């Protein structure tokens, strides 16, 4: 039998998200908007400038940092092409590919609920502005 408080709520200790938990930097990377958009664009090996053109508003510096973090975390791989001038293309690793399905569900949820969320934002802003 579970311990409950006087209101019938489960009184067992809750999970504590410790400051040194190794999941924190990974979740930070995965939840980053640029990281997720880059990974969505990588349906096939893609060059840097093609990624940049597909991400309106991203700076070269931010895209470079994002790609380095994704590579460091094993989500993408960087391949130097033997061309003149030297080219580089990026592609998902098997680990990055494994994130495609849960990210797809999150993206679908976002699209499905975006109007409702925008309505909530307008209602909230209307209350706080008054």
């Amino acid at each position: 039998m579970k311990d409950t408080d006087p209101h019938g709520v489960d009184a067992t200790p809750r999970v504590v998200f410790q400051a040194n938990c190794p999941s924190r930097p990974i979740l930070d990377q995965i939840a980053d908007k640029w990281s997720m958009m880059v990974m969505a664009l990588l349906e096939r090996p893609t060059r840097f400038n093609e990624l940049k053109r597909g991400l309106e508003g991203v700076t070269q510096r931010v895209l470079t940092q994002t790609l380095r973090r994704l590579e460091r975390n094993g989500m993408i791989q960087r391949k130097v092409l033997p061309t003149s001038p030297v080219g580089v293309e990026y592609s998902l690793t098997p680990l990055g590919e494994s994130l495609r399905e849960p990210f797809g569900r999150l993206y679908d949820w976002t699209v499905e609920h975006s109007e409702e969320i925008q309505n909530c934002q307008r209602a909230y802003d209307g209350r706080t502005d008054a």
Side-chain angles (χ1 to χ4, degrees), residues 30-99:
I30 292 170
D32 175 70
K33 70 177 179 182
W34 295 119
S35 294
M36 295 314 303
M37 287 189 248
V38 164
M39 292 182 67
L41 289 175
L42 289 176
E43 293 178 359
R44 58 174 174 68
T46 308
R47 288 185 170 213
F48 182 91
N49 285 330
E50 186 177 351
L51 288 170
K52 189 165 182 331
R53 284 190 299 273
L55 297 168
E56 187 173 306
V58 71
T59 64
Q60 183 164 334
R61 179 177 176 266
V62 168
L63 180 54
T64 298
Q65 290 172 339
T66 299
L67 291 167
R68 285 181 183 160
R69 286 177 61 202
L70 287 168
E71 183 180 11
R72 181 173 183 261
N73 289 339
M75 301 293 171
I76 66 170
Q77 61 187 1
R78 179 181 184 269
K79 180 180 176 183
V80 178
L81 304 173
T83 58
S84 182
V86 173
V88 176
E89 68 181 14
Y90 298 89
S91 59
L92 291 177
T93 62
L95 183 61
E97 193 66 50
S98 72
L99 190 56

